[in-house]
Amino acid sequence: MISKLLLIFTLLVSAAAVAEECKLKHLEELEYTDIECQFYMGTAAYRNKVYTVAAAHWNYVIDSPLKYEGEDAIQAMALSTITFLTYQGLGVEQDRNKAVENWKNAVAKGDFEARRHLGFAYSDEKFINKNLVYALGWYESIFLLYPTAGDVDESDLGVYQDAIEGANKLRAGLSKKQKNAAMDFARSTL
């Protein structure tokens, strides 16, 4: 009996640590269905590789009416993250063309990370519309928005570093004319 209780206690503690549920103080202040909580519950499901559950939470965010200031940014992030699932075919039907269009919509709504995803997609051998000039352009658009890593919010630093790596790889294989075309394209995305 004691070993069963110990096992149950261990499972509860480890599940709570892994789930990363919304903080209780947030649940006291906001409705449980608040889109910020739903977004982070989707993130927790994604980290636990439960992609269909992550998609359900992020779709909830996308479909929810906006109630509070800043929720439009959360919706844009949800669109970008569920689009990653669509691009990879994780928990949802894979559709790379739809994913690229959704990332463009997320960029239009102000999502920063979607620019990095577009840089990757347009350089991906698996994407039928691969275009290295556009790929570099999407990465360059990040640097136009934030000229140095110090300009980026700490939470977006990984995105910025990935963009540096992706852009450097692309620059090495492109001509000067292609690089100039990429910068023109980057400016058009702002």
Side-chain angles (χ1 to χ4, degrees):
M1 179 67 157
I2 293 176
S3 63
K4 284 184 183 180
L5 287 175
L6 185 57
L7 176 63
I8 291 171
F9 177 75
T10 303
L11 288 173
L12 288 174
V13 170
S14 63
V18 171
E20 297 181 20
E21 291 183 23
C22 295
K23 303 275 188 232
L24 287 178
K25 69 178 181 176
H26 292 343
L27 296 178
E28 292 168 1
E29 296 170 8
L30 307 171
E31 298 175 27
Y32 174 71
T33 58
D34 175 73
I35 68 170
E36 187 174 14
C37 278
Q38 291 292 327
F39 178 81
Y40 289 111
M41 287 171 29
T43 301
Y46 174 81
R47 288 178 181 158
N48 287 303
K49 298 181 181 179
V50 187
Y51 302 120
T52 55
V53 173
H57 284 293
W58 291 331
N59 276 323
Y60 181 92
V61 171
I62 292 165
D63 295 337
S64 291
L66 301 176
K67 295 181 185 179
Y68 305 104
E69 186 178 325
E71 287 186 338
D72 54 339
I74 296 169
Q75 278 185 332
M77 287 188 302
L79 177 59
S80 182
T81 52
I82 196 165
T83 298
F84 176 80
L85 298 181
T86 303
Y87 190 86
Q88 299 296 339
L90 299 171
V92 296
E93 184 177 339
Q94 185 176 48
D95 186 337
R96 290 193 168 105
N97 289 322
K98 178 181 176 184
V100 166
E101 290 307 310
N102 284 345
W103 276 322
K104 290 177 185 176
N105 290 333
V107 165
K109 293 178 180 184
D111 185 62
F112 178 69
E113 187 172 1
R115 292 175 181 278
R116 187 239 353 233
H117 288 305
L118 285 163
F120 168 79
Y122 276 105
S123 64
D124 185 11
E125 294 292 332
K126 297 174 188 170
F127 181 47
I128 195 166
N129 296 315
K130 178 182 172 185
N131 182 320
L132 297 182
V133 170
Y134 284 2
L136 180 58
W138 282 111
Y139 288 134
E140 293 290 3
S141 73
I142 292 171
F143 310 133
L144 291 174
L145 289 170
Y146 301 100
T148 69
D151 297 330
V152 179
D153 184 87
E154 186 177 322
S155 63
D156 289 326
L157 195 53
V159 171
Y160 195 86
Q161 294 297 332
D162 288 347
I164 289 171
E165 288 177 32
N168 286 339
K169 287 178 187 174
L170 290 169
R171 285 184 197 121
L174 296 177
S175 70
K176 184 175 180 175
K177 182 178 178 180
Q178 290 172 310
K179 292 175 194 173
N180 289 338
M183 282 305 296
D184 290 341
F185 177 75
R187 287 185 201 90
S188 76
T189 70
L190 302 179

